[in-house]
């Protein structure tokens, strides 16, 4: 219950949904622009959401199985190290203390030789603590999973399959991300359509490659955490919020419903109306406000690998230096600031056009077409 009250958990959950469904990235909009005008978009949206949810549930089975396996292995290793230390200290026969009778031996030795046991500085082996040490992101993929796979029977085969899966997953994700950049550049006529698409795709991939070189440095894991926390979560939340507001209250939900009815041939039910108008924007706003409040109360921090830390190999929690905080703010604000800037640009453009005597509003053409 305490975990569910943490806004960071809900932001991470929203980020996961945004990544898995490619929401607010522009990839879905780019792909949908290639559909025929009367495509059944409602059926496609429901199908994609169901398939994504089922895939996530299916993926959770091996993920939590591996995490449980890794925690159990770490717990037994902790016990084995304590057992070896006790046997060497008290010169006991080998296998006199085993995992099954470890607790009984500890109770006996603590009551009989408390000073010797205290001098050994035995580790506290708690399975729940090992389970709570589960990480996410790159730590899960490249540290926890790899450590667990090494201990599995036939580890070489599992390792090959695992990294082929990661490569395929990253490659398929890049298709949508590149398309989300590629299609607007052409359709907004920012770049001439005479440029070969293969060349443009290569240039975009090269720029992404050069930016991603910072992740290969010695501090690469910290940069990944920064980009994941501030460039890949909060901006997506803000962009998705403005997308919903733009469709439901600027473009108007009635006009959008008529468009969907024209495409699908069916009138949208009350569920979609309530979700688009109230539930979705309200949930996005609540998560956003809760996250900002949490960030204000506690300065942003990161988990650092420090061999001199008392609890090493546990990570030490450190506060970001000021220059890194500036980068975090920039990564969070820069993608979001284009929303009001573009809106202001179109507002000024429309005001200038309205002052032009030769300007005829689009509504006039639509009325003339209806009367004819």
């Amino acid at each position: 219950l305490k975990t569910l009250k943490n806004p960071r958990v809900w932001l991470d959950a929203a980020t996961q949904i945004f990544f898995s469904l490619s929401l607010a990235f522009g990839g879905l909009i780019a792909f949908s622009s290639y559909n025929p005008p009367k495509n059944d978009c409602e059926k496609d949206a429901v199908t994609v959401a169901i398939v994504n949810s089922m895939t996530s549930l299916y993926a959770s089975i091996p993920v939590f199985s591996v995490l449980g396996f890794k925690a159990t292995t770490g717990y037994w290793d902790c016990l084995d190290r304590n057992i070896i230390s006790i046997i060497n200290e008290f010169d006991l026969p080998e296998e006199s203390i085993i995992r099954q009778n470890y607790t009984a031996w500890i109770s006996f030795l603590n009551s009989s030789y408390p000073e010797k046991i205290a001098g050994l500085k035995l580790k506290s082996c708690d399975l729940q603590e090992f389970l709570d040490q589960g990480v996410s992101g790159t730590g899960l993929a490249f540290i926890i999973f790899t450590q667990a796979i090494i201990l599995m029977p036939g580890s070489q085969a599992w390792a090959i399959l695992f990294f082929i899966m990661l490569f395929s997953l990253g490659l398929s994700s890049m298709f949508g991300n590149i398309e989300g950049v590629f299609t607007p550049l052409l359709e907004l006529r920012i770049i001439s359509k005479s440029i070969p698409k293969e060349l443009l795709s290569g240039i975009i991939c090269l720029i992404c490659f050069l930016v991603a070189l910072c992740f290969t440095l010695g501090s690469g894991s910290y940069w990944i955490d920064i980009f994941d926390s501030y460039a890949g979560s909060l901006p997506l939340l803000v962009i998705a919020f403005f997308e919903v507001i733009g469709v439901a209250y600027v473009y108007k939900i009635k006009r959008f419903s008529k468009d969907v009815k024209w495409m699908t041939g069916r009138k949208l039910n009350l569920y979609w109306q309530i979700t688009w108008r109230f539930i979705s924007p309200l949930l996005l706003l609540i998560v956003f406000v809760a996250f900002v409040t949490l960030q204000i109360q506690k300065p942003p921090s990161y988990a650092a690998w420090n061999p001199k830390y008392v609890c090493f190999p546990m990570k030490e929690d450190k506060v970001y230096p000021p220059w890194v905080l500036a980068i975090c703010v920039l990564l969070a604000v820069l993608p979001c600031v284009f929303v009001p800037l573009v809106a202001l640009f179109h507002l000024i453009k429309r005001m200038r056009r309205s002052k032009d005597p030769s300007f005829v509003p689009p509504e006039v053409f639509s009325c003339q077409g209806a009367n004819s």
Side-chain angles (χ1 to χ4, degrees), residues 202-226:
I203 293 173
I204 295 173
C205 291
L206 179 61
I207 294 173
C208 294
F209 169 77
L210 294 176
V211 172
L213 285 177
C214 68
F215 302 139
T216 64
L217 303 174
S219 58
S221 61
Y222 301 115
W223 286 115
I224 290 177
D225 289 337
I226 290 173

PDB file of all heavy atoms in Angstrom, residues 202-226:
ATOM      1  N   GLY A 202      19.222   7.466 -42.703  1.00  0.00           N
ATOM      2  CA  GLY A 202      20.607   7.272 -42.283  1.00  0.00           C
ATOM      3  C   GLY A 202      21.138   8.445 -41.489  1.00  0.00           C
ATOM      4  O   GLY A 202      21.851   8.270 -40.492  1.00  0.00           O
ATOM      5  N   ILE A 203      20.776   9.680 -41.891  1.00  0.00           N
ATOM      6  CA  ILE A 203      21.231  10.877 -41.176  1.00  0.00           C
ATOM      7  C   ILE A 203      20.624  10.930 -39.769  1.00  0.00           C
ATOM      8  O   ILE A 203      21.312  11.236 -38.789  1.00  0.00           O
ATOM      9  CB  ILE A 203      20.869  12.147 -41.975  1.00  0.00           C
ATOM     10  CG1 ILE A 203      21.663  12.192 -43.281  1.00  0.00           C
ATOM     11  CG2 ILE A 203      21.129  13.397 -41.146  1.00  0.00           C
ATOM     12  CD1 ILE A 203      21.262  13.321 -44.212  1.00  0.00           C
ATOM     13  N   ILE A 204      19.326  10.602 -39.665  1.00  0.00           N
ATOM     14  CA  ILE A 204      18.669  10.604 -38.349  1.00  0.00           C
ATOM     15  C   ILE A 204      19.313   9.565 -37.439  1.00  0.00           C
ATOM     16  O   ILE A 204      19.592   9.836 -36.256  1.00  0.00           O
ATOM     17  CB  ILE A 204      17.165  10.335 -38.508  1.00  0.00           C
ATOM     18  CG1 ILE A 204      16.491  11.475 -39.275  1.00  0.00           C
ATOM     19  CG2 ILE A 204      16.493  10.165 -37.141  1.00  0.00           C
ATOM     20  CD1 ILE A 204      15.046  11.209 -39.623  1.00  0.00           C
ATOM     21  N   CYS A 205      19.559   8.371 -37.983  1.00  0.00           N
ATOM     22  CA  CYS A 205      20.194   7.312 -37.180  1.00  0.00           C
ATOM     23  C   CYS A 205      21.604   7.710 -36.761  1.00  0.00           C
ATOM     24  O   CYS A 205      22.033   7.410 -35.637  1.00  0.00           O
ATOM     25  CB  CYS A 205      20.230   6.003 -37.965  1.00  0.00           C
ATOM     26  SG  CYS A 205      18.623   5.242 -38.226  1.00  0.00           S
ATOM     27  N   LEU A 206      22.337   8.396 -37.648  1.00  0.00           N
ATOM     28  CA  LEU A 206      23.695   8.834 -37.319  1.00  0.00           C
ATOM     29  C   LEU A 206      23.679   9.861 -36.187  1.00  0.00           C
ATOM     30  O   LEU A 206      24.507   9.799 -35.267  1.00  0.00           O
ATOM     31  CB  LEU A 206      24.366   9.424 -38.561  1.00  0.00           C
ATOM     32  CG  LEU A 206      25.797   9.947 -38.368  1.00  0.00           C
ATOM     33  CD1 LEU A 206      26.723   8.816 -37.925  1.00  0.00           C
ATOM     34  CD2 LEU A 206      26.320  10.592 -39.647  1.00  0.00           C
ATOM     35  N   ILE A 207      22.734  10.809 -36.245  1.00  0.00           N
ATOM     36  CA  ILE A 207      22.618  11.810 -35.179  1.00  0.00           C
ATOM     37  C   ILE A 207      22.283  11.132 -33.854  1.00  0.00           C
ATOM     38  O   ILE A 207      22.874  11.452 -32.805  1.00  0.00           O
ATOM     39  CB  ILE A 207      21.542  12.849 -35.543  1.00  0.00           C
ATOM     40  CG1 ILE A 207      21.977  13.669 -36.758  1.00  0.00           C
ATOM     41  CG2 ILE A 207      21.258  13.772 -34.359  1.00  0.00           C
ATOM     42  CD1 ILE A 207      20.920  14.608 -37.288  1.00  0.00           C
ATOM     43  N   CYS A 208      21.337  10.179 -33.876  1.00  0.00           N
ATOM     44  CA  CYS A 208      20.992   9.430 -32.654  1.00  0.00           C
ATOM     45  C   CYS A 208      22.197   8.658 -32.125  1.00  0.00           C
ATOM     46  O   CYS A 208      22.421   8.581 -30.911  1.00  0.00           O
ATOM     47  CB  CYS A 208      19.836   8.474 -32.935  1.00  0.00           C
ATOM     48  SG  CYS A 208      18.272   9.271 -33.321  1.00  0.00           S
ATOM     49  N   PHE A 209      22.980   8.091 -33.037  1.00  0.00           N
ATOM     50  CA  PHE A 209      24.178   7.340 -32.638  1.00  0.00           C
ATOM     51  C   PHE A 209      25.190   8.253 -31.949  1.00  0.00           C
ATOM     52  O   PHE A 209      25.762   7.894 -30.911  1.00  0.00           O
ATOM     53  CB  PHE A 209      24.804   6.686 -33.876  1.00  0.00           C
ATOM     54  CG  PHE A 209      26.168   6.105 -33.634  1.00  0.00           C
ATOM     55  CD1 PHE A 209      26.320   4.895 -32.964  1.00  0.00           C
ATOM     56  CD2 PHE A 209      27.305   6.766 -34.072  1.00  0.00           C
ATOM     57  CE1 PHE A 209      27.576   4.363 -32.733  1.00  0.00           C
ATOM     58  CE2 PHE A 209      28.569   6.241 -33.845  1.00  0.00           C
ATOM     59  CZ  PHE A 209      28.701   5.037 -33.171  1.00  0.00           C
ATOM     60  N   LEU A 210      25.407   9.454 -32.507  1.00  0.00           N
ATOM     61  CA  LEU A 210      26.376  10.376 -31.921  1.00  0.00           C
ATOM     62  C   LEU A 210      25.921  10.853 -30.545  1.00  0.00           C
ATOM     63  O   LEU A 210      26.735  10.985 -29.618  1.00  0.00           O
ATOM     64  CB  LEU A 210      26.585  11.572 -32.861  1.00  0.00           C
ATOM     65  CG  LEU A 210      27.239  11.243 -34.214  1.00  0.00           C
ATOM     66  CD1 LEU A 210      27.288  12.492 -35.088  1.00  0.00           C
ATOM     67  CD2 LEU A 210      28.633  10.671 -34.021  1.00  0.00           C
ATOM     68  N   VAL A 211      24.610  11.107 -30.394  1.00  0.00           N
ATOM     69  CA  VAL A 211      24.085  11.530 -29.086  1.00  0.00           C
ATOM     70  C   VAL A 211      24.232  10.395 -28.070  1.00  0.00           C
ATOM     71  O   VAL A 211      24.574  10.617 -26.899  1.00  0.00           O
ATOM     72  CB  VAL A 211      22.611  11.948 -29.211  1.00  0.00           C
ATOM     73  CG1 VAL A 211      22.004  12.208 -27.829  1.00  0.00           C
ATOM     74  CG2 VAL A 211      22.478  13.191 -30.075  1.00  0.00           C
ATOM     75  N   ALA A 212      24.021   9.156 -28.525  1.00  0.00           N
ATOM     76  CA  ALA A 212      24.062   8.005 -27.616  1.00  0.00           C
ATOM     77  C   ALA A 212      25.476   7.605 -27.222  1.00  0.00           C
ATOM     78  O   ALA A 212      25.641   6.738 -26.353  1.00  0.00           O
ATOM     79  CB  ALA A 212      23.362   6.808 -28.266  1.00  0.00           C
ATOM     80  N   LEU A 213      26.485   8.221 -27.815  1.00  0.00           N
ATOM     81  CA  LEU A 213      27.859   7.886 -27.438  1.00  0.00           C
ATOM     82  C   LEU A 213      28.147   8.221 -25.975  1.00  0.00           C
ATOM     83  O   LEU A 213      29.021   7.608 -25.355  1.00  0.00           O
ATOM     84  CB  LEU A 213      28.849   8.627 -28.343  1.00  0.00           C
ATOM     85  CG  LEU A 213      29.010   8.076 -29.770  1.00  0.00           C
ATOM     86  CD1 LEU A 213      29.966   8.947 -30.570  1.00  0.00           C
ATOM     87  CD2 LEU A 213      29.509   6.632 -29.734  1.00  0.00           C
ATOM     88  N   CYS A 214      27.416   9.208 -25.422  1.00  0.00           N
ATOM     89  CA  CYS A 214      27.631   9.561 -24.013  1.00  0.00           C
ATOM     90  C   CYS A 214      27.257   8.407 -23.091  1.00  0.00           C
ATOM     91  O   CYS A 214      27.743   8.320 -21.960  1.00  0.00           O
ATOM     92  CB  CYS A 214      26.854  10.819 -23.643  1.00  0.00           C
ATOM     93  SG  CYS A 214      25.055  10.623 -23.647  1.00  0.00           S
ATOM     94  N   PHE A 215      26.397   7.486 -23.566  1.00  0.00           N
ATOM     95  CA  PHE A 215      25.998   6.348 -22.743  1.00  0.00           C
ATOM     96  C   PHE A 215      27.069   5.266 -22.692  1.00  0.00           C
ATOM     97  O   PHE A 215      26.958   4.325 -21.900  1.00  0.00           O
ATOM     98  CB  PHE A 215      24.697   5.739 -23.276  1.00  0.00           C
ATOM     99  CG  PHE A 215      23.557   6.707 -23.331  1.00  0.00           C
ATOM    100  CD1 PHE A 215      22.693   6.723 -24.414  1.00  0.00           C
ATOM    101  CD2 PHE A 215      23.351   7.616 -22.319  1.00  0.00           C
ATOM    102  CE1 PHE A 215      21.642   7.623 -24.481  1.00  0.00           C
ATOM    103  CE2 PHE A 215      22.308   8.532 -22.372  1.00  0.00           C
ATOM    104  CZ  PHE A 215      21.456   8.537 -23.452  1.00  0.00           C
ATOM    105  N   THR A 216      28.080   5.368 -23.550  1.00  0.00           N
ATOM    106  CA  THR A 216      29.154   4.368 -23.568  1.00  0.00           C
ATOM    107  C   THR A 216      30.334   4.781 -22.701  1.00  0.00           C
ATOM    108  O   THR A 216      31.309   4.034 -22.585  1.00  0.00           O
ATOM    109  CB  THR A 216      29.644   4.138 -25.007  1.00  0.00           C
ATOM    110  OG1 THR A 216      30.236   5.343 -25.512  1.00  0.00           O
ATOM    111  CG2 THR A 216      28.501   3.724 -25.913  1.00  0.00           C
ATOM    112  N   LEU A 217      30.283   5.959 -22.106  1.00  0.00           N
ATOM    113  CA  LEU A 217      31.368   6.429 -21.248  1.00  0.00           C
ATOM    114  C   LEU A 217      31.341   5.697 -19.904  1.00  0.00           C
ATOM    115  O   LEU A 217      30.431   4.917 -19.622  1.00  0.00           O
ATOM    116  CB  LEU A 217      31.239   7.936 -21.027  1.00  0.00           C
ATOM    117  CG  LEU A 217      31.223   8.822 -22.286  1.00  0.00           C
ATOM    118  CD1 LEU A 217      30.948  10.275 -21.906  1.00  0.00           C
ATOM    119  CD2 LEU A 217      32.525   8.697 -23.040  1.00  0.00           C
ATOM    120  N   GLY A 218      32.346   5.978 -19.091  1.00  0.00           N
ATOM    121  CA  GLY A 218      32.370   5.369 -17.765  1.00  0.00           C
ATOM    122  C   GLY A 218      31.180   5.779 -16.922  1.00  0.00           C
ATOM    123  O   GLY A 218      30.729   5.025 -16.054  1.00  0.00           O
ATOM    124  N   SER A 219      30.672   6.971 -17.173  1.00  0.00           N
ATOM    125  CA  SER A 219      29.484   7.467 -16.455  1.00  0.00           C
ATOM    126  C   SER A 219      28.208   7.211 -17.243  1.00  0.00           C
ATOM    127  O   SER A 219      27.177   7.834 -16.963  1.00  0.00           O
ATOM    128  CB  SER A 219      29.629   8.964 -16.182  1.00  0.00           C
ATOM    129  OG  SER A 219      29.795   9.666 -17.407  1.00  0.00           O
ATOM    130  N   GLY A 220      28.268   6.308 -18.232  1.00  0.00           N
ATOM    131  CA  GLY A 220      27.129   6.091 -19.120  1.00  0.00           C
ATOM    132  C   GLY A 220      25.870   5.647 -18.418  1.00  0.00           C
ATOM    133  O   GLY A 220      24.766   6.084 -18.766  1.00  0.00           O
ATOM    134  N   SER A 221      26.021   4.789 -17.405  1.00  0.00           N
ATOM    135  CA  SER A 221      24.828   4.298 -16.702  1.00  0.00           C
ATOM    136  C   SER A 221      24.102   5.423 -15.979  1.00  0.00           C
ATOM    137  O   SER A 221      22.867   5.423 -15.890  1.00  0.00           O
ATOM    138  CB  SER A 221      25.221   3.206 -15.699  1.00  0.00           C
ATOM    139  OG  SER A 221      26.125   3.719 -14.731  1.00  0.00           O
ATOM    140  N   TYR A 222      24.860   6.415 -15.484  1.00  0.00           N
ATOM    141  CA  TYR A 222      24.235   7.546 -14.805  1.00  0.00           C
ATOM    142  C   TYR A 222      23.505   8.432 -15.803  1.00  0.00           C
ATOM    143  O   TYR A 222      22.418   8.953 -15.509  1.00  0.00           O
ATOM    144  CB  TYR A 222      25.284   8.356 -14.056  1.00  0.00           C
ATOM    145  CG  TYR A 222      26.031   7.552 -13.018  1.00  0.00           C
ATOM    146  CD1 TYR A 222      27.393   7.307 -13.134  1.00  0.00           C
ATOM    147  CD2 TYR A 222      25.372   7.021 -11.920  1.00  0.00           C
ATOM    148  CE1 TYR A 222      28.083   6.567 -12.191  1.00  0.00           C
ATOM    149  CE2 TYR A 222      26.046   6.275 -10.971  1.00  0.00           C
ATOM    150  CZ  TYR A 222      27.395   6.045 -11.112  1.00  0.00           C
ATOM    151  OH  TYR A 222      28.064   5.299 -10.173  1.00  0.00           O
ATOM    152  N   TRP A 223      24.092   8.615 -17.000  1.00  0.00           N
ATOM    153  CA  TRP A 223      23.429   9.408 -18.033  1.00  0.00           C
ATOM    154  C   TRP A 223      22.150   8.723 -18.506  1.00  0.00           C
ATOM    155  O   TRP A 223      21.151   9.398 -18.801  1.00  0.00           O
ATOM    156  CB  TRP A 223      24.369   9.651 -19.215  1.00  0.00           C
ATOM    157  CG  TRP A 223      25.438  10.639 -18.930  1.00  0.00           C
ATOM    158  CD1 TRP A 223      26.782  10.426 -18.875  1.00  0.00           C
ATOM    159  CD2 TRP A 223      25.271  12.027 -18.638  1.00  0.00           C
ATOM    160  NE1 TRP A 223      27.457  11.573 -18.567  1.00  0.00           N
ATOM    161  CE2 TRP A 223      26.551  12.584 -18.418  1.00  0.00           C
ATOM    162  CE3 TRP A 223      24.159  12.867 -18.548  1.00  0.00           C
ATOM    163  CZ2 TRP A 223      26.744  13.925 -18.122  1.00  0.00           C
ATOM    164  CZ3 TRP A 223      24.349  14.205 -18.244  1.00  0.00           C
ATOM    165  CH2 TRP A 223      25.635  14.728 -18.032  1.00  0.00           C
ATOM    166  N   ILE A 224      22.175   7.407 -18.585  1.00  0.00           N
ATOM    167  CA  ILE A 224      20.964   6.677 -18.977  1.00  0.00           C
ATOM    168  C   ILE A 224      19.855   6.916 -17.955  1.00  0.00           C
ATOM    169  O   ILE A 224      18.689   7.138 -18.319  1.00  0.00           O
ATOM    170  CB  ILE A 224      21.262   5.176 -19.129  1.00  0.00           C
ATOM    171  CG1 ILE A 224      22.139   4.933 -20.357  1.00  0.00           C
ATOM    172  CG2 ILE A 224      19.976   4.365 -19.243  1.00  0.00           C
ATOM    173  CD1 ILE A 224      22.544   3.495 -20.554  1.00  0.00           C
ATOM    174  N   ASP A 225      20.200   6.873 -16.678  1.00  0.00           N
ATOM    175  CA  ASP A 225      19.205   7.126 -15.630  1.00  0.00           C
ATOM    176  C   ASP A 225      18.633   8.542 -15.742  1.00  0.00           C
ATOM    177  O   ASP A 225      17.425   8.763 -15.551  1.00  0.00           O
ATOM    178  CB  ASP A 225      19.828   6.922 -14.245  1.00  0.00           C
ATOM    179  CG  ASP A 225      20.098   5.461 -13.948  1.00  0.00           C
ATOM    180  OD1 ASP A 225      19.445   4.600 -14.570  1.00  0.00           O
ATOM    181  OD2 ASP A 225      20.964   5.173 -13.104  1.00  0.00           O
ATOM    182  N   ILE A 226      19.506   9.511 -16.050  1.00  0.00           N
ATOM    183  CA  ILE A 226      19.054  10.898 -16.175  1.00  0.00           C
ATOM    184  C   ILE A 226      18.095  11.042 -17.353  1.00  0.00           C
ATOM    185  O   ILE A 226      17.008  11.635 -17.235  1.00  0.00           O
ATOM    186  CB  ILE A 226      20.264  11.842 -16.331  1.00  0.00           C
ATOM    187  CG1 ILE A 226      21.043  11.916 -15.016  1.00  0.00           C
ATOM    188  CG2 ILE A 226      19.814  13.240 -16.750  1.00  0.00           C
ATOM    189  CD1 ILE A 226      22.344  12.675 -15.111  1.00  0.00           C
TER     190      ILE A 226
END
